[in-house]
Amino acid sequence: MTTTASRWRHALAIAAAAGVSVLTMTAAMAVDVTVWAWDTNFNGAAMKEAASRYAPSHPDVNIKIDDSMQQEDIRQKLQTQLLAGDTTGLPDIVLIQDDVAQKYLQSFPGAFAPLSDSIDMTAFAPYKVAAATHEGKSYSLPFDSGVTGLFYRADYLKEAGYEADALKDLTWDKFIQIGKDVKAKTGHNLIALDLNGSGLIRIMMQSAGVWYFNADGSLNIVDNQPLKAALETYAKIWQADIVKPASGWTEFTGAFTSGETAVALNGVWMTGTIKSQPDQAGKWGVAPIPKLEGVEGATGYSNEGGSSWYVLSSGAGKDAAIDFLKSIWATDVDFYQKILIGQGAFSTWLPASAGDAYKASDDFFGGQPVWANFSEWQAKIPSIDYGIYTAEVDSAVVAQLPTITQGGSVDDALKAINDQASQQMQ
């Protein structure tokens, strides 16, 4: 029995003996749990669904959700107040993107409650738990997955002579060859890429279980073989003349939703965008991503994006917040079916995949069991440590992309990335 529930039942017994109404006691003993999220239609909506499920059996807990802020605003408020040591006005539960979580955990020890003390973390995708683990404890309730997939226009590939089986155990070299054939036979570029983003580099690197840092937090750039292979592969894709250059999100997504390009290699959260074009139903398929050849530990599984829920240690509603997350987010299979269908929120809680929604086939993707496939791939994603300077290294990587795509030395680019990141980390 939780602390909150125990206190509530004890109070009710006293109230009954004194002739005080339950409604009066509810108002007097209510605990507020405040939540910050940043997307009304996605994570905010999922949290509201969770709150509605928790409320009937917990009339003493008021879950108040603020999803009106931008993600950057939440980060800034957390950073500013935790630096000042003033937690007044901060929420009990806050959503934090996975790749910046370690910056908070390591910079502000004790600010967040270790949820692995109360919740079974073995029930979540290991890579997701690793992102929020510090000094042996995990601090997040893992939320949405960024498990990656190769979304492809099956009709374009078929016209170029390729069936779905050709995408099994795919390598990046084979991916490039398919792109050349697709362009020659159909006139379509294979993929849209934005030189202002490092997403594809990150996907390739994590697929081999490596990140920008060593275990002690020091930079791992110059001798990082998966990173080098990722940069070399990225350059090859551009030099094969199969890329539609894109500037910004609208151009990027518009390239494949319009049918201009043949594939989109992204996190599972891109499914909704791809399905936004009903006239393309039955023309798409999904496969695992390609593997880096000649790289130790390389797989066809990776992650892009994703966020998780954290509980502030200082919050008056801390105990109730933890009980809420445990009772719904780490227990309720049906809840995850609801937010998958309603919000497209693909769960990292592994038992969710046993639900009907996760087993269903999808006619838009030629009858593939898309969610079941993503569930299988998610469990195979290599775990990595994002460290506290991922954003800084990303900036250094992006600065070198134009040069390498035009034939510049990858070794020189690695040195430049290392030098710029070293300066930014000081």
Side-chain angles (χ1 to χ4, degrees):
M1 185 182 296
T2 66
T3 302
T4 300
S6 178
R7 185 173 66 244
W8 174 245
R9 287 172 174 77
H10 180 64
L12 280 181
I14 294 174
V20 179
S21 74
V22 171
L23 288 176
T24 300
M25 283 301 300
T26 299
M29 294 293 295
V31 176
D32 288 339
V33 172
T34 55
V35 182
W36 284 0
W38 60 72
D39 188 335
T40 300
N41 296 316
F42 183 56
N43 43 60
M47 181 54 82
K48 287 170 186 172
E49 173 64 26
S52 72
R53 289 169 176 263
Y54 188 73
S57 57
H58 297 82
D60 57 326
V61 179
N62 297 322
I63 298 175
K64 300 181 176 181
I65 301 162
D66 183 352
D67 55 14
S68 64
M69 291 181 283
Q70 298 296 314
Q71 182 180 174
E72 287 303 319
D73 294 335
I74 292 176
R75 289 188 189 183
Q76 186 61 47
K77 289 183 178 183
L78 277 178
Q79 181 82 5
T80 299
Q81 291 197 230
L82 291 176
L83 273 173
D86 178 13
T87 57
T88 305
L90 290 182
D92 298 293
I93 299 173
V94 63
L95 190 67
I96 298 176
Q97 192 162 300
D98 294 335
D99 60 1
V100 299
Q102 286 293 331
K103 180 168 288 189
Y104 291 103
L105 295 178
Q106 295 183 38
S107 300
F108 306 109
F112 301 93
L115 300 186
S116 55
D117 289 349
S118 309
I119 296 171
D120 178 15
M121 293 296 165
T122 64
F124 293 88
Y127 85 93
K128 191 79 169 179
V129 176
T133 298
H134 179 55
E135 295 184 345
K137 291 184 180 292
S138 190
Y139 288 81
S140 81
L141 189 292
F143 176 36
D144 64 312
S145 172
V147 52
T148 50
L150 176 62
F151 299 90
Y152 62 91
R153 284 290 297 263
D155 53 341
Y156 292 175
L157 266 64
K158 185 174 183 179
E159 188 177 344
Y162 294 99
E163 301 289 345
D165 284 350
L167 302 180
K168 291 180 179 178
D169 296 317
L170 190 64
T171 65
W172 284 103
D173 284 345
K174 182 63 173 178
F175 174 82
I176 292 170
Q177 184 58 54
I178 290 174
K180 291 178 179 178
D181 292 338
V182 166
K183 188 164 186 177
K185 299 290 180 61
T186 73
H188 293 284
N189 278 311
L190 184 68
I191 191 169
L193 293 174
D194 187 342
L195 284 171
N196 292 310
S198 61
L200 191 57
I201 304 298
R202 290 164 52 122
I203 288 171
M204 292 183 195
M205 189 167 49
Q206 183 167 355
S207 72
V210 173
W211 204 242
Y212 298 132
F213 311 101
N214 296 305
D216 62 0
S218 61
L219 278 173
N220 177 24
I221 303 295
V222 175
D223 296 321
N224 186 326
Q225 290 305 307
L227 175 56
K228 181 177 182 179
L231 292 172
E232 290 172 340
T233 301
Y234 188 83
K236 280 196 239 179
I237 294 171
W238 277 88
Q239 292 160 13
D241 192 28
I242 56 174
V243 174
K244 160 67 177 173
S247 178
W249 186 253
T250 301
E251 279 192 16
F252 173 69
T253 58
F256 51 82
T257 57
S258 69
E260 189 173 357
T261 56
V263 308
L265 201 156
N266 296 96
V268 61
W269 37 261
M270 192 60 82
T271 305
T273 300
I274 291 171
K275 293 179 69 174
S276 68
Q277 307 299 314
D279 61 314
Q280 296 176 12
K283 298 178 179 179
W284 283 89
V286 188
I289 66 170
K291 292 189 291 188
L292 291 168
E293 289 187 276
V295 174
E296 183 178 356
T299 72
Y301 313 102
S302 192
N303 179 79
E304 183 183 20
S307 54
S308 299
W309 303 106
Y310 291 76
V311 175
L312 276 294
S313 297
S314 58
K318 180 183 75 170
D319 291 343
I322 294 173
D323 183 67
F324 164 56
L325 293 176
K326 181 177 181 179
S327 299
I328 304 299
W329 294 87
T331 302
D332 191 340
V333 171
D334 184 65
F335 162 66
Y336 282 107
Q337 313 309 301
K338 184 73 177 289
I339 65 173
L340 177 68
I341 295 170
Q343 283 74 49
F346 190 81
S347 172
T348 53
W349 187 57
L350 301 178
S353 63
D356 290 342
Y358 279 81
K359 296 177 181 177
S361 60
D362 193 328
D363 290 340
F364 191 94
F365 293 101
Q368 284 185 278
V370 174
W371 303 121
N373 288 343
F374 275 119
S375 295
E376 177 189 344
W377 305 340
Q378 175 174 252
K380 299 176 182 179
I381 298 173
S383 299
I384 50 95
D385 183 352
Y386 287 113
I388 64 175
Y389 292 110
T390 282
E392 288 78 3
V393 184
D394 275 342
S395 295
V397 169
V398 169
Q400 296 302 314
L401 295 183
T403 300
I404 65 168
T405 58
Q406 294 167 16
S409 165
V410 170
D411 286 329
D412 289 348
L414 288 168
K415 184 179 184 304
I417 292 166
N418 186 78
D419 291 346
Q420 180 178 328
S422 296
Q423 291 178 350
Q424 292 181 313
M425 289 169 57
Q426 290 177 358

